[in-house]
Amino acid sequence: MNLKALSYKLRQDTVDLIRAGKAGHIGGDMSVMDILVELYFSQMNIGPANMDSPDRDLFVMSKGHSVEAYYSVLAEKGFFSKEQLHAEFSKFGSRFIGHPNNKLPGIEMNSGSLGHGLPVCVGMAKAGKMDNRNYRVYTVMGDGELAEGSVWEGAMAASHYKLDNLCAVVDRNRLQISGGTEEVMAHDDLHERFKSFGWNVIDVADGNEIDQLHAAFEEAENVKGKPSVLIANTVKGKGSSVMENKANWHHKVPTDEEYTQIMKDLRTREEALS
């Protein structure tokens, strides 16, 4: 499967989903898409056939506001139909709400209250160790989310318990709802910060590049005695110059004119990678 082309196909699905639901955190959806595609179609032992198995890999979308990308990936994986997703997303009474909902197949926990994903995954990983399970646990966090203190409590515990079955990813797009992360709440050197908490840190120079993500996840899986974190340097709004690196695209529904240009840009990139 050509995951590079797939990531741009699913970006198009996501833009259509946001237009259908008249809401969505489109910028972060675009930055995180390649990470989700690599996880679900190359790394994780999870799918509709084994979603209730105690040995399945576990994933938590900690930056739950990027749910549209997450839903699009889950639909492509076969957890539910794209038709149902696009018909029901963000509608009254729907299970396809604006943050991950564990009433839907394939979703382990409700998320969106930022800072909770990593601590919960620490518990999942610790349980796996206690039960002698071989599953791995993954979470994706936004870089703005790292201002939450619970993230660092979780990081400290993960290192203390030597949870080498845990892999976190930081979607390091450097923008959040109110501006640049370094202006809102500076992270300085995230590599050194996580390293000081006892983590194996892997810098991904281009977190929107599937080959680099693949190599980083493979490296993380072979690390023993400590948890791993991928610092994935991504571009908010990745895929179209209409959106890229623009803070005001954190939450936005494209106009008709913007939609036409965005879809043209995404199709061009998909075709170039096919």
Coordinates of all heavy atoms in Angstrom, one line a residue, residues 10 36-37 39-53 56-60 67 69-86 88 95-96 101-109:
L10 N -6.6 10.8 2.3 CA -7.4 10.9 3.5 C -7.4 12.4 4.0 O -8.4 12.8 4.7 CB -6.8 10.0 4.6 CG -6.9 8.5 4.3 CD1 -6.3 7.7 5.5 CD2 -8.3 8.1 4.1
L36 N -0.8 9.3 11.8 CA -1.9 8.3 12.0 C -1.8 7.2 10.9 O -2.1 6.0 11.2 CB -3.2 9.0 11.9 CG -3.5 10.0 13.1 CD1 -4.8 10.7 12.9 CD2 -3.4 9.3 14.4
V37 N -1.6 7.6 9.7 CA -1.5 6.6 8.6 C -0.4 5.6 8.8 O -0.6 4.4 8.7 CB -1.3 7.4 7.2 CG1 -0.9 6.4 6.1 CG2 -2.6 8.1 6.8
L39 N 0.9 4.8 11.7 CA 0.6 3.9 12.8 C -0.4 2.9 12.4 O -0.2 1.7 12.7 CB 0.0 4.8 13.9 CG 1.0 5.5 14.8 CD1 0.3 6.5 15.8 CD2 1.8 4.4 15.7
Y40 N -1.5 3.3 11.8 CA -2.6 2.3 11.5 C -2.4 1.4 10.4 O -3.0 0.3 10.3 CB -3.9 3.1 11.4 CG -4.6 3.4 12.7 CD1 -4.4 4.5 13.4 CD2 -5.5 2.4 13.2 CE1 -4.9 4.7 14.6 CE2 -6.1 2.7 14.5 CZ -5.8 3.8 15.2 OH -6.4 4.0 16.4
F41 N -1.6 1.8 9.4 CA -1.4 0.9 8.3 C 0.0 0.3 8.2 O 0.2 -0.5 7.2 CB -1.7 1.7 7.0 CG -3.1 2.1 6.9 CD1 -3.6 3.4 7.4 CD2 -4.1 1.2 6.4 CE1 -4.9 3.7 7.3 CE2 -5.4 1.6 6.3 CZ -5.8 2.8 6.8
S42 N 0.9 0.6 9.1 CA 2.2 -0.1 9.1 C 2.7 -0.6 10.5 O 3.3 -1.6 10.5 CB 3.2 0.9 8.5 OG 4.5 0.4 8.5
Q43 N 2.3 0.1 11.5 CA 2.9 -0.2 12.8 C 2.0 -1.0 13.7 O 2.5 -2.0 14.3 CB 3.3 1.1 13.5 CG 4.4 1.9 12.8 CD 5.7 1.2 12.7 OE1 6.1 0.5 13.6 NE2 6.4 1.4 11.6
M44 N 0.8 -0.6 13.9 CA 0.0 -1.2 15.0 C -0.7 -2.5 14.6 O -1.2 -2.6 13.5 CB -1.0 -0.2 15.5 CG -0.4 1.0 16.2 SD -1.6 2.0 17.2 CE -2.8 2.4 15.9
N45 N -0.8 -3.4 15.6 CA -1.5 -4.6 15.4 C -3.0 -4.3 15.9 O -3.3 -4.6 17.0 CB -0.9 -5.8 16.2 CG -1.8 -7.0 16.3 OD1 -2.5 -7.3 15.3 ND2 -1.7 -7.8 17.4
I46 N -3.7 -3.7 15.0 CA -5.1 -3.4 15.4 C -5.9 -3.2 14.1 O -5.4 -2.7 13.1 CB -5.2 -2.1 16.2 CG1 -6.6 -1.7 16.6 CG2 -4.6 -0.9 15.4 CD1 -7.2 -2.8 17.6
G47 N -7.2 -3.7 14.1 CA -8.1 -3.6 13.0 C -9.4 -4.1 13.5 O -9.6 -4.6 14.6
P48 N -10.5 -4.0 12.6 CA -11.8 -4.5 13.0 C -11.8 -5.9 13.5 O -12.6 -6.3 14.3 CB -12.6 -4.3 11.7 CG -11.9 -3.2 11.0 CD -10.5 -3.4 11.3
A49 N -11.0 -6.8 12.9 CA -11.0 -8.2 13.2 C -10.5 -8.5 14.6 O -10.9 -9.5 15.2 CB -10.2 -9.0 12.2
N50 N -9.6 -7.7 15.2 CA -9.1 -8.0 16.5 C -9.3 -6.8 17.5 O -8.5 -6.8 18.5 CB -7.6 -8.3 16.4 CG -6.7 -7.1 16.1 OD1 -7.2 -6.1 15.6 ND2 -5.4 -7.2 16.5
M51 N -10.2 -6.0 17.3 CA -10.4 -4.8 18.1 C -10.8 -5.1 19.6 O -10.7 -4.3 20.5 CB -11.3 -3.8 17.5 CG -12.8 -4.2 17.4 SD -13.7 -2.9 16.6 CE -15.3 -3.8 16.5
D52 N -11.2 -6.3 19.8 CA -11.6 -6.7 21.2 C -10.6 -7.7 21.8 O -10.7 -8.2 22.9 CB -13.0 -7.4 21.2 CG -14.1 -6.4 20.8 OD1 -14.0 -5.3 21.2 OD2 -15.0 -6.8 20.0
S53 N -9.5 -8.0 21.1 CA -8.5 -8.9 21.6 C -7.7 -8.2 22.7 O -7.3 -7.1 22.6 CB -7.5 -9.3 20.4 OG -6.4 -10.0 20.9
R56 N -4.3 -6.8 21.4 CA -4.2 -5.7 20.4 C -3.3 -4.6 20.9 O -3.2 -4.4 22.1 CB -5.6 -5.2 20.1 CG -6.2 -4.3 21.2 CD -7.7 -4.0 21.0 NE -8.2 -3.2 22.0 CZ -8.6 -3.6 23.2 NH1 -8.6 -4.9 23.5 NH2 -9.2 -2.7 24.1
D57 N -2.7 -3.9 19.9 CA -2.0 -2.7 20.3 C -3.1 -1.6 20.6 O -4.2 -1.6 20.1 CB -1.2 -2.2 19.1 CG 0.1 -3.0 19.0 OD1 0.5 -3.7 19.9 OD2 0.6 -3.0 17.8
L58 N -2.7 -0.7 21.5 CA -3.6 0.3 22.0 C -3.2 1.7 21.5 O -2.0 2.0 21.5 CB -3.7 0.3 23.5 CG -4.1 -1.0 24.1 CD1 -4.0 -1.0 25.6 CD2 -5.6 -1.4 23.7
F59 N -4.2 2.6 21.2 CA -3.9 3.9 20.8 C -4.8 4.9 21.4 O -6.0 4.6 21.5 CB -4.0 4.0 19.2 CG -3.8 5.4 18.7 CD1 -2.5 6.0 18.6 CD2 -4.9 6.2 18.4 CE1 -2.4 7.3 18.2 CE2 -4.8 7.5 18.0 CZ -3.5 8.1 17.9
V60 N -4.3 6.0 21.8 CA -5.1 7.1 22.3 C -4.7 8.4 21.6 O -3.5 8.8 21.6 CB -4.9 7.3 23.8 CG1 -5.6 8.6 24.3 CG2 -5.4 6.1 24.6
V67 N -9.9 15.2 15.7 CA -10.7 14.0 15.5 C -11.1 13.7 14.1 O -11.2 12.5 13.7 CB -11.9 14.0 16.4 CG1 -13.0 15.0 15.8 CG2 -12.6 12.7 16.6
A69 N -9.3 13.9 11.3 CA -8.3 13.0 10.7 C -8.3 11.6 11.3 O -8.2 10.6 10.5 CB -6.9 13.6 11.0
Y70 N -8.5 11.5 12.6 CA -8.6 10.2 13.2 C -9.8 9.4 12.7 O -9.7 8.2 12.3 CB -8.8 10.5 14.7 CG -8.7 9.3 15.6 CD1 -8.0 8.1 15.3 CD2 -9.3 9.3 16.9 CE1 -8.0 7.0 16.1 CE2 -9.2 8.2 17.8 CZ -8.6 7.1 17.4 OH -8.5 6.0 18.2
Y71 N -11.0 10.0 12.6 CA -12.2 9.4 12.0 C -11.9 8.9 10.6 O -12.3 7.8 10.2 CB -13.4 10.3 12.0 CG -14.1 10.5 13.4 CD1 -14.9 11.6 13.6 CD2 -13.9 9.6 14.4 CE1 -15.5 11.9 14.8 CE2 -14.6 9.8 15.6 CZ -15.4 11.0 15.8 OH -16.0 11.2 17.0
S72 N -11.3 9.7 9.8 CA -11.0 9.4 8.4 C -10.1 8.2 8.3 O -10.3 7.3 7.5 CB -10.4 10.6 7.7 OG -11.3 11.6 7.6
V73 N -9.1 8.1 9.2 CA -8.2 6.9 9.2 C -8.9 5.7 9.6 O -8.8 4.6 9.1 CB -7.0 7.2 10.1 CG1 -6.2 5.9 10.3 CG2 -6.1 8.3 9.4
L74 N -9.7 5.8 10.7 CA -10.5 4.6 11.2 C -11.5 4.1 10.1 O -11.7 2.9 10.0 CB -11.2 5.0 12.5 CG -10.4 5.2 13.7 CD1 -11.2 5.7 14.9 CD2 -9.6 4.0 14.1
A75 N -12.1 5.0 9.4 CA -13.1 4.6 8.4 C -12.3 3.9 7.2 O -12.8 2.9 6.7 CB -13.8 5.8 7.8
E76 N -11.2 4.4 6.9 CA -10.3 3.8 5.8 C -9.9 2.4 6.3 O -9.8 1.5 5.5 CB -9.1 4.6 5.5 CG -8.2 4.1 4.4 CD -8.9 4.2 3.0 OE1 -9.8 5.1 2.8 OE2 -8.4 3.5 2.1
K77 N -9.6 2.2 7.6 CA -9.2 1.0 8.1 C -10.4 0.0 8.2 O -10.2 -1.2 8.4 CB -8.6 1.2 9.5 CG -7.9 0.0 10.1 CD -6.6 -0.3 9.5 CE -5.9 -1.5 10.2 NZ -4.6 -1.8 9.6
G78 N -11.6 0.5 8.1 CA -12.8 -0.4 8.1 C -13.5 -0.5 9.4 O -14.4 -1.4 9.6
F79 N -13.3 0.3 10.4 CA -14.0 0.3 11.7 C -15.4 0.7 11.5 O -16.3 0.3 12.3 CB -13.3 1.1 12.7 CG -12.0 0.5 13.3 CD1 -10.8 0.9 12.8 CD2 -12.1 -0.4 14.3 CE1 -9.6 0.4 13.3 CE2 -10.9 -1.0 14.8 CZ -9.7 -0.6 14.3
F80 N -15.7 1.6 10.6 CA -17.1 2.0 10.3 C -17.0 2.6 8.8 O -15.9 2.8 8.3 CB -17.6 3.1 11.2 CG -16.6 4.1 11.7 CD1 -16.2 5.2 10.9 CD2 -16.0 4.0 13.0 CE1 -15.3 6.1 11.3 CE2 -15.1 4.9 13.4 CZ -14.7 6.0 12.6
S81 N -18.2 2.8 8.3 CA -18.2 3.2 6.8 C -18.0 4.7 6.7 O -18.4 5.5 7.5 CB -19.5 2.8 6.2 OG -20.6 3.7 6.6
K82 N -17.4 5.1 5.6 CA -17.2 6.5 5.3 C -18.5 7.2 5.0 O -18.7 8.3 5.4 CB -16.3 6.7 4.0 CG -14.8 6.3 4.2 CD -14.0 6.5 3.0 CE -12.6 6.1 3.2 NZ -11.7 6.4 2.0
E83 N -19.4 6.5 4.4 CA -20.7 7.0 4.1 C -21.5 7.4 5.4 O -22.0 8.5 5.5 CB -21.6 6.0 3.3 CG -21.1 5.8 1.9 CD -19.9 4.9 1.9 OE1 -19.6 4.2 2.9 OE2 -19.2 4.9 0.8
Q84 N -21.4 6.5 6.4 CA -22.0 6.8 7.7 C -21.3 8.0 8.4 O -22.0 8.9 8.9 CB -22.0 5.6 8.6 CG -22.7 5.8 10.0 CD -22.4 4.6 10.9 OE1 -21.5 3.8 10.7 NE2 -23.3 4.5 11.9
L85 N -20.0 8.0 8.3 CA -19.2 9.0 9.0 C -19.6 10.4 8.4 O -19.9 11.4 9.1 CB -17.8 8.8 8.8 CG -16.8 9.9 9.2 CD1 -16.9 10.2 10.6 CD2 -15.3 9.5 8.8
H86 N -19.6 10.5 7.1 CA -19.9 11.8 6.5 C -21.3 12.3 6.6 O -21.6 13.5 6.6 CB -19.4 11.8 5.0 CG -18.0 11.8 4.8 ND1 -17.3 12.9 4.2 CD2 -17.0 10.9 5.1 CE1 -16.0 12.7 4.2 NE2 -15.8 11.5 4.7
E88 N -23.2 11.6 9.3 CA -23.6 11.8 10.7 C -22.7 12.7 11.4 O -23.0 13.1 12.5 CB -23.7 10.4 11.4 CG -24.8 9.5 10.8 CD -24.9 8.2 11.5 OE1 -24.2 8.0 12.6 OE2 -25.5 7.3 11.0
R95 N -23.1 9.7 17.2 CA -21.9 9.3 18.0 C -20.6 9.9 17.4 O -19.6 9.9 18.1 CB -21.8 7.7 17.9 CG -22.9 7.0 18.6 CD -22.7 5.5 18.5 NE -22.7 5.1 17.1 CZ -22.3 3.9 16.6 NH1 -21.8 3.0 17.5 NH2 -22.3 3.6 15.4
F96 N -20.7 10.4 16.2 CA -19.5 11.0 15.5 C -19.4 12.5 16.0 O -19.7 13.4 15.2 CB -19.6 10.9 14.0 CG -19.5 9.5 13.5 CD1 -20.7 8.8 13.2 CD2 -18.3 8.8 13.4 CE1 -20.6 7.5 12.7 CE2 -18.2 7.5 12.9 CZ -19.4 6.8 12.6
N101 N -14.8 9.4 20.6 CA -15.9 8.9 21.4 C -15.8 7.4 21.5 O -15.9 6.7 20.4 CB -17.2 9.4 20.8 CG -18.4 8.7 21.4 OD1 -18.4 8.3 22.5 ND2 -19.5 8.7 20.7
N102 N -15.6 6.8 22.6 CA -15.4 5.4 22.7 C -16.7 4.6 22.6 O -16.6 3.4 22.8 CB -14.6 5.0 24.0 CG -15.4 5.3 25.3 OD1 -16.5 5.8 25.2 ND2 -14.8 5.1 26.4
K103 N -17.7 5.2 22.2 CA -18.9 4.5 21.8 C -18.8 4.0 20.4 O -19.6 3.2 19.9 CB -20.2 5.3 22.0 CG -20.5 5.8 23.4 CD -20.8 4.6 24.3 CE -21.3 5.1 25.7 NZ -20.3 5.9 26.4
L104 N -17.8 4.5 19.7 CA -17.5 4.1 18.3 C -16.4 3.0 18.3 O -15.5 2.9 19.1 CB -16.9 5.3 17.5 CG -18.0 6.4 17.2 CD1 -17.2 7.6 16.7 CD2 -18.9 5.9 16.2
P105 N -16.6 2.0 17.4 CA -15.6 0.9 17.3 C -14.2 1.5 17.0 O -14.0 2.4 16.2 CB -16.1 0.0 16.2 CG -17.0 0.9 15.4 CD -17.6 1.9 16.4
G106 N -13.2 0.9 17.7 CA -11.8 1.3 17.4 C -11.2 2.4 18.3 O -10.0 2.6 18.2
I107 N -12.1 3.0 19.1 CA -11.6 4.1 19.9 C -11.6 3.7 21.4 O -12.6 3.2 21.9 CB -12.5 5.4 19.8 CG1 -12.4 5.9 18.3 CG2 -12.1 6.4 20.7 CD1 -13.3 7.1 18.0
E108 N -10.4 3.7 21.9 CA -10.1 3.2 23.3 C -10.7 4.1 24.4 O -11.1 3.6 25.4 CB -8.6 3.0 23.5 CG -8.0 2.0 22.5 CD -8.4 0.6 22.7 OE1 -9.0 0.2 23.7 OE2 -8.1 -0.2 21.8
M109 N -10.6 5.4 24.2 CA -11.0 6.3 25.2 C -11.5 7.7 24.6 O -11.0 8.1 23.6 CB -9.9 6.6 26.3 CG -8.7 7.4 25.8 SD -7.6 7.9 27.1 CE -8.4 9.4 27.6

